[in-house]
Amino acid sequence: MKRKWLGRGAVLVALVLLIVGVTAGAAFAGTDPAPVFKTPKVAVGDVAVSLNLLWIIIGAVLVIFMQAGFALVETGFCRAKNAAHVFSMNFMIFGLALVGFFLVGYAFMFGGYSFQNLFGLDKAVGDNLVGSGNWVFLWKGGFALTHLGGIGKNAALGAPTAAFFLYMYAFMDTTATIPTGSMAERWKWKSFMLWAIFCGAIYFPLFGAWTWGGGWLAKLGDSMHLGFGYVDFAGSGVVHAMGGVAGLAGILVLGARRGKYGPDGRPRTLAAHNIPMALLGTFILLFGWFGFNAASTLGATDVRFAMVATNTAISAGFGAVGGMLWAYRRMGKPDPGMMANGMLAGLVAITAPCAFVQPWAAAVIGFIAGIIVVVSILFLEKRGIDDPVGATSVHGTCGIWGVLSIGLFASGDYGAGWNLTTSGPAAKANGVTGLFYSWDLGIRQLGAQTIGALTIIFVMGGVAYAFFKIMDALMKGGIRTAPEVEDMGLDRPEMGVLGYADFVTSELVLAGEDPAEDKVLAHAESPDPSIGR
Amino acid sequence: MKRKWLGRGAVLVALVLLIVGVTAGAAFAGTDPAPVFKTPKVAVGDVAVSLNLLWIIIGAVLVIFMQAGFALVETGFCRAKNAAHVFSMNFMIFGLALVGFFLVGYAFMFGGYSFQNLFGLDKAVGDNLVGSGNWVFLWKGGFALTHLGGIGKNAALGAPTAAFFLYMYAFMDTTATIPTGSMAERWKWKSFMLWAIFCGAIYFPLFGAWTWGGGWLAKLGDSMHLGFGYVDFAGSGVVHAMGGVAGLAGILVLGARRGKYGPDGRPRTLAAHNIPMALLGTFILLFGWFGFNAASTLGATDVRFAMVATNTAISAGFGAVGGMLWAYRRMGKPDPGMMANGMLAGLVAITAPCAFVQPWAAAVIGFIAGIIVVVSILFLEKRGIDDPVGATSVHGTCGIWGVLSIGLFASGDYGAGWNLTTSGPAAKANGVTGLFYSWDLGIRQLGAQTIGALTIIFVMGGVAYAFFKIMDALMKGGIRTAPEVEDMGLDRPEMGVLGYADFVTSELVLAGEDPAEDKVLAHAESPDPSIGR
Amino acid sequence: MKRKWLGRGAVLVALVLLIVGVTAGAAFAGTDPAPVFKTPKVAVGDVAVSLNLLWIIIGAVLVIFMQAGFALVETGFCRAKNAAHVFSMNFMIFGLALVGFFLVGYAFMFGGYSFQNLFGLDKAVGDNLVGSGNWVFLWKGGFALTHLGGIGKNAALGAPTAAFFLYMYAFMDTTATIPTGSMAERWKWKSFMLWAIFCGAIYFPLFGAWTWGGGWLAKLGDSMHLGFGYVDFAGSGVVHAMGGVAGLAGILVLGARRGKYGPDGRPRTLAAHNIPMALLGTFILLFGWFGFNAASTLGATDVRFAMVATNTAISAGFGAVGGMLWAYRRMGKPDPGMMANGMLAGLVAITAPCAFVQPWAAAVIGFIAGIIVVVSILFLEKRGIDDPVGATSVHGTCGIWGVLSIGLFASGDYGAGWNLTTSGPAAKANGVTGLFYSWDLGIRQLGAQTIGALTIIFVMGGVAYAFFKIMDALMKGGIRTAPEVEDMGLDRPEMGVLGYADFVTSELVLAGEDPAEDKVLAHAESPDPSIGR
């Protein structure tokens, strides 16, 4: 039969080639003058705008792809019985948070703020809503993107706002998805949905308006002569620490997973169910992070993006090495989970300073972050904070470290006029400068960074805690799933399907350094049908 | 031993740093004048062409990566016992369909059509083969890319054709891979191979020449004053509905999978074996779709690509929300499969109108698509159409919805002169316009869209049905695998390997809303060696 | 409860829309003059440099993402019991090899070599360390990127070096990761770590300096009139064959895996544990390869990148078809592993010639590579060379084929002045030319390619063999894991975790063409705790 088929294949190929021959022959028989190269007529300024917009869009697309990375990392670090639930949260955040950000969030955050000379728009599309001058708290304008300025003959005007919206949406999505890791394996779907909309509509835009939107934190340089005000190039604070403190707030409301702490109160390792999945997710995050950081120049005509990309890679690499070596030292093995968290820690930490530091500093910042993250994870675990994926440490702790590191390592080579700062000592500086390069500029910058960090931890952390606490009180049965649902796994009761319907699964608890004490908690060929509805 | 190793590591690092020190010292000891920044001399038109070609290539690469997304979605939604077979089809389509498209397909589709002022070519490399004027049916020229015009000193001339070929190849691949989902778990590998070549050589180029190739459907505006003729920005119809109807034709020839319908004729849920895999695939498709839609401006100097990207994201998000909410309502759970299909539905639907509508319309189109896809899946399932992954509904039904939506929502801001239309009322319009913006222009445009949709369903659907039917009659034993092969799983008999050799698998049938009725159909630690050879 | 929740959701949506309404109304009530489109003032040369740097960075990011592809391919082709170990090696190579390349490797390779007129730098940042003129062996300058030239007001000067560093780092990483496949399932973690640093600091930069760094192999055209000297556009030799011979050297030191060869000495198939994972990895490699090859023009203003991308896709497709058909012929089934290796073979082979050949030649080179790789895998397996993933054949054998193919197929249309060649017959040629286009130029070019290939195999292969052999002698217990660790799987003993903690796994040996002889070697629900510490 094999040979018969090969014969038929040969006939088909012969037939195709016959068609080629005949038609190609016909085509080339006549005189067919070759085309001539002719370039379009276009102004150099327009090409520059096109190039900048393209970089923003590519950056946005890379950041959006990070959602897949988050989904894989979080799901891989959790247990098989919750795989569909954890992944689905990371999936639906895309749509649910978009609804909130599209309808109102973007307008609150950027409605009255513009980036001149980059995309082609000469002014903002909206105005301030709460506050004014150096003390703006919220903007308005461009709700549901209805006021793009891109109608009729001026359709091209819509492009800059559309591009910037998409890029900012992608950042918001990252903040929104971080708590799905911290709160995984015990969080009700319905409660998750409300968080997603809340984060897109209010939580992220609030702090966003204060910083990237030119609000009161950004203007601390002008208003209080604190360096260039709060500086956060791509969001160690605005995006990551914001997500980290929200996740921590959620953990405080939810409590630890059943079985995480033994009767003696000591933490157990509820084993990650899929290491390749978690590491693949980390690679996808690394990949997308280049869009996150390097495209935050908001245009390719600012060639600093190349230095940003390189600093990002260096910090990621040194972070992974730092995390692995520290895990080796503390746990006796080069733990893959700590490699992944070490790389992510390096990425989170370099996100704020990536444009302002030299490569050697990126290596140092990343290496320290890789160590910090392991220390933080073990510390929080001991204190009863049960974060299944370490998101609080990766995004929260290392996000704060990234924010502060600007005040130490910024080399003063880049960022003149940052945050449109026009008064104070920074107004004459060549770039954002940290303590290691200048005492006077550095201490002021470090002050602004510290105010930003404290605002994230206490103000925004408080907002998130209040949100979860109120929801827990109002929602029937609270925001945590029932104990029997948690034991069975959330997949069938919450999502209606199993993550891995065809695989026989067990549930393993690793016993720290001693494999002889590992034990299988449960074993399932098909789901227990008696619970969860 | 640990400490010993750490000691050795320290020695190594010290050694490396020594080398650094010595050589770096040597390097910087001498006078080493720093380099100076010097930009190349280049004409602005050439930079614009370079930028446009770069966008096309990046777009093509993103679309090619969508193959991985299709493979994951389809495999994840099928059962573990067919994983290697389903994934391999999505893998080999890349090579097999390329052979057909490279040798003849591209020449049939675009041999005589060119896009001036974008890439630098002033005219097409070929001529028409069947038809002429406003009624061209097939082109010729550029078979096996032998006539690029890029030889010798004019090598740069080859770049535009090469770039456009790659981009169009990637679209063709999408059409070709859609039926592998609809026909999965019961389709013979040999039959699949012939489809792949046929689709690349004939099926896709045929409708492609009629639309994007400037053929008779594209010229309905000039020939019959139907708006701008058939308009389909990135291929809701040309790519997706084309794939959807081919898949439907295949299902009609193959019949339903064994066990899909109970003795009472009611459909059962043959459970998706890997939800994380399917959702990861959906994210990859989302990621690649930005290349699919936004790069369809065929150049970054047309900044409309930014609006296209944003509309794409909005429709995807609202589609996912629509699909989830409708599934919640109908099935009682936020089904992950319906989330994924909802997002894909939003993406498919916005593909045709993405450049012509405002963001609010993108939200509406996507949301409706998310509902339509759930309705369509449940409807077809009840009618005995067994589509394991819902591809017919996602790409077919929602593709048609996308094509028609242009006739409703197009805002008239973009697309002046589309399809090189020079006569009829559209010739003076500012852009493609739908019924909600202008009655006269809209009804004509809707007419052209309807003719295109009907052509896809009846003409191209007929071509696909005939192809599968004839192949089924000619091939020994038909195009469907033997029942015992289907029960065992296609992996070992068809591909020679198991998808998951080391995992113990079972086979689960979900009982709708009642988990108490779930049952395990089969259980395997190693394959049954007695069948399939 | 469902309806209650839907009610609450409705309330929330109503609330949100209320906010929208009120604030949007407020925003648009006042006079709000729309913004005006205003493009930045920028010189065309600066836009060109920005565009070129952007292409380099995007290329680097794509190549970095290939790490995920390698990890998936290698892990998928190995057994479940080693999944965490194999994936972790591919993960940590990123950080470990970066340390070596960042501190010294880049300076050795490129410290004294520059690419003028592309990025804006007019000269190199360093000087030669060993050798001079046409016979340079190593460079110096830019250790730890401390001498970027990008300080203070001239910060933009840092961008070109940073971008080029990142791109070259990504290539180095590919070379470094290839042996992790060849040596998988029996290689100690500690030994792996030293290799990673060694490859980044010395192994890759050495041959890199000789070729892409303008060293003695690159100057064979000027020094010995051998065409344009050793030509290797994107690294079939510099990257892939280099990795392939290192992997082969490692195999020779390690020996075959336990159980690979039966008592009769005949090879057994230790089944790949996850086909979808391996094929997904191949797709990711394909995706990243467009950055690997097409961005090797080092700038988008050289539009040849479009032809490069298209040739890459064509060769990949024909390679997959070639591999599948040859496997069908030899093994009776369209083996998915051979499809994947066929595509990778096509990609590896086209990497060197991709810019210099016509599309038809890309098809031929790829198709031949697809066949070669199957022949090579089966040949080596029979000779006792146990390469679990076929990396030696894919990267080694097909890398050499790619290097040599330039001497045959290069069409003479591109590459005038390559390697800054100024003397010999090539100095007047229109481009790199192979034997099929010119006897005189071709035989000289083929000579240079052959010298390069022999240098890789014997000189660099010797360096790698010596490195592994010395390490094996010095390290306590050698570089191979203990037999009981190998039987149990390396995950728990070496990494401290299991790859798939929650899945019940077995271990399957496929019996060639006869499934009746397949047998399960081991079965595990939880790890055997008695060994490996």
Side-chain angles (χ1 to χ4, degrees), chain A residues 1 5 20 23 32-33 36-40 50 87 92 152 159 162 190 193 492-494 499 502 504 525 529 533, chain B residues 46 80 104 120 122-123 125 143 147 190 193 275 300 310 324 328 333-334 339 413 504-506 513 515-516 518 523:
Chain A
M1 197 175 106
W5 169 80
V20 177
T23 49
D32 189 12
V36 169
F37 204 72
K38 216 177 84 179
T39 64
S50 297
F87 209 115
M92 274 311 299
K190 288 166 188 177
M193 292 204 292
R492 195 72 166 92
E494 287 273 312
D502 287 1
V504 179
E525 287 196 20
R533 293 193 44 84
Chain B
D46 285 333
V104 296
D122 71 332
K123 62 184 285 297
V125 298
F143 295 91
H147 199 236
K190 289 166 186 177
M193 292 204 293
I275 296 294
T310 300
M324 186 199 65
Y328 224 141
K333 303 278 182 192
M339 293 175 198
D413 298 319
V504 178
T505 58
S506 57
E513 294 216 19
D518 288 359
H523 182 85

Side-chain angles (χ1 to χ4, degrees), chain A residues 13-32:
Chain A
V13 172
L15 219 134
V16 167
L17 289 176
L18 193 73
I19 299 174
V20 177
V22 172
T23 49
F28 300 147
T31 54
D32 189 12

Side-chain angles (χ1 to χ4, degrees), chain A residues 13-309:
Chain A
V13 172
L15 219 134
V16 167
L17 289 176
L18 193 73
I19 299 174
V20 177
V22 172
T23 49
F28 300 147
T31 54
D32 189 12
V36 169
F37 204 72
K38 216 177 84 179
T39 64
K41 276 175 194 154
V42 50
V44 61
D46 286 333
V47 176
V49 167
S50 297
L51 178 63
N52 289 346
L53 287 174
L54 184 61
W55 187 211
I56 295 288
I57 291 293
I58 291 174
V61 170
L62 285 169
V63 178
I64 285 172
F65 191 45
M66 287 172 67
Q67 280 298 321
F70 280 109
L72 291 165
V73 168
E74 295 183 5
T75 307
F77 280 154
C78 288
R79 288 164 293 175
K81 65 181 181 180
N82 299 311
H85 187 262
V86 178
F87 209 115
S88 294
M89 287 196 294
N90 283 282
F91 184 84
M92 274 311 299
I93 202 87
F94 180 88
L96 291 167
L98 184 141
V99 170
F101 195 68
F102 171 67
L103 290 179
V104 295
Y106 179 76
F108 285 158
M109 185 166 170
F110 282 111
Y113 194 70
S114 76
F115 294 86
Q116 293 168 26
N117 291 324
L118 277 170
F119 309 142
L121 285 196
D122 71 333
K123 62 183 286 298
V125 298
D127 210 338
N128 41 325
L129 176 68
V130 179
S132 66
N134 287 335
W135 297 95
V136 169
F137 288 81
L138 278 182
W139 304 98
K140 64 183 177 189
F143 295 91
L145 290 181
T146 46
H147 200 233
L148 286 176
I151 310 295
K153 298 240 173 194
N154 297 317
L157 279 169
T161 310
F164 193 63
F165 165 81
L166 191 66
Y167 196 51
M168 281 303 130
Y169 158 69
F171 282 93
M172 180 278 301
D173 228 23
T174 299
T175 299
T177 213
I178 291 169
T180 65
S182 306
M183 302 168 73
E185 305 201 298
R186 59 206 189 280
W187 194 13
K188 272 189 197 158
W189 180 261
K190 288 166 188 177
S191 164
F192 151 76
M193 292 204 292
L194 293 181
W195 156 255
I197 296 171
F198 172 73
C199 181
I202 312 282
Y203 182 72
F204 180 78
L206 203 60
F207 192 73
W210 300 349
T211 50
W212 293 346
W216 71 275
L217 275 168
K219 305 306 286 178
L220 285 177
D222 276 356
S223 62
M224 298 176 65
H225 292 188
L226 291 173
F228 288 88
Y230 176 76
V231 168
D232 191 345
F233 190 69
S236 289
V238 179
V239 177
H240 293 281
M242 281 283 288
V245 299
L248 180 60
I251 294 173
L252 294 176
V253 174
L254 280 178
R257 289 169 294 170
R258 284 165 62 82
K260 173 64 190 175
Y261 294 92
D264 56 352
R266 290 179 54 194
R268 295 167 178 165
T269 297
L270 305 181
H273 93 283
N274 199 326
I275 296 294
M277 180 186 275
L279 295 183
L280 170 62
T282 310
F283 269 140
I284 290 180
L285 286 171
L286 169 69
F287 175 61
W289 225 293
F290 289 101
F292 206 100
N293 286 2
S296 284
T297 52
L298 300 178
T301 52
D302 177 355
V303 293
R304 191 71 180 183
F305 72 85
M307 183 76 92
V308 170

Side-chain angles (χ1 to χ4, degrees), chain C residues 99-480:
Chain C
V99 170
F101 196 68
F102 171 67
L103 290 179
V104 295
Y106 180 75
F108 285 159
M109 186 165 169
F110 282 111
Y113 195 70
S114 76
F115 294 86
Q116 294 168 25
N117 292 323
L118 276 171
F119 309 142
L121 285 195
D122 71 332
K123 62 183 285 296
V125 297
D127 209 340
N128 40 323
L129 175 69
V130 179
S132 67
N134 286 335
W135 298 94
V136 170
F137 286 82
L138 278 182
W139 303 99
K140 65 181 176 191
F143 293 91
L145 290 181
T146 45
H147 200 233
L148 285 175
I151 311 293
K153 297 240 175 196
N154 297 317
L157 278 170
T161 311
F164 193 62
F165 166 80
L166 191 66
Y167 197 50
M168 280 304 131
Y169 158 68
F171 282 94
M172 180 278 301
D173 228 23
T174 299
T175 300
T177 213
I178 291 169
T180 65
S182 306
M183 301 167 74
E185 305 200 299
R186 59 204 190 282
W187 194 14
K188 271 190 198 158
W189 181 259
K190 288 166 186 177
S191 163
F192 151 75
M193 291 203 293
L194 293 182
W195 156 256
I197 296 171
F198 173 72
C199 181
I202 313 281
Y203 182 72
F204 180 78
L206 203 60
F207 192 74
W210 301 349
T211 49
W212 292 346
W216 71 275
L217 275 168
K219 305 307 287 179
L220 285 178
D222 276 356
S223 63
M224 297 176 65
H225 292 189
L226 290 173
F228 288 87
Y230 175 76
V231 168
D232 192 346
F233 189 69
S236 288
V238 178
V239 177
H240 293 281
M242 280 283 288
V245 299
L248 181 60
I251 294 172
L252 294 176
V253 174
L254 280 178
R257 289 169 293 172
R258 286 165 61 82
K260 174 65 191 177
Y261 294 92
D264 57 351
R266 290 179 54 195
R268 296 167 177 164
T269 297
L270 304 180
H273 93 282
N274 200 326
I275 295 295
M277 180 185 276
L279 294 183
L280 170 62
T282 310
F283 268 139
I284 290 179
L285 286 170
L286 169 69
F287 175 61
W289 225 292
F290 289 102
F292 206 99
N293 286 2
S296 285
T297 52
L298 299 178
T301 50
D302 177 355
V303 293
R304 191 72 179 183
F305 72 85
M307 183 77 92
V308 170
T310 300
N311 280 345
T312 301
I314 291 169
S315 185
F318 276 85
V321 172
M324 184 199 67
L325 289 180
W326 203 255
Y328 224 140
R329 220 181 111 93
R330 286 290 309 273
M331 300 154 74
K333 303 279 181 191
D335 190 84
M338 293 304 181
M339 292 175 197
N341 279 330
M343 182 185 281
L344 296 177
L347 287 166
V348 167
I350 202 65
T351 296
C354 54
F356 307 108
V357 300
Q358 291 289 311
W360 72 265
V364 173
I365 291 169
F367 192 77
I368 292 175
I371 294 171
I372 285 178
V373 78
V374 179
V375 171
S376 172
I377 286 173
L378 298 177
F379 175 84
L380 291 177
E381 192 183 40
K382 255 186 224 154
R383 291 300 172 285
I385 306 293
D386 176 22
D387 185 332
V389 307
T392 303
S393 300
V394 168
H395 301 280
T397 313
C398 294
I400 298 296
W401 161 235
V403 166
L404 298 179
S405 72
I406 289 179
L408 302 173
F409 292 93
S411 69
D413 297 320
Y414 180 77
W418 203 257
N419 279 331
L420 308 179
T421 302
T422 53
S423 73
K428 283 160 288 182
N430 194 37
V432 179
T433 311
L435 215 53
F436 296 167
Y437 288 82
S438 155
W439 176 259
D440 179 51
L441 286 168
I443 199 75
R444 289 169 183 272
Q445 192 60 50
L446 193 56
Q449 301 306 109
T450 307
I451 291 174
L454 294 174
T455 306
I456 294 170
I457 297 171
F458 293 106
V459 180
M460 300 311 300
V463 168
Y465 184 78
F467 175 78
F468 289 123
K469 200 74 186 171
I470 292 169
M471 191 161 50
D472 192 44
L474 292 181
M475 189 170 269
K476 196 188 156 188
I479 65 172
R480 180 164 180 158

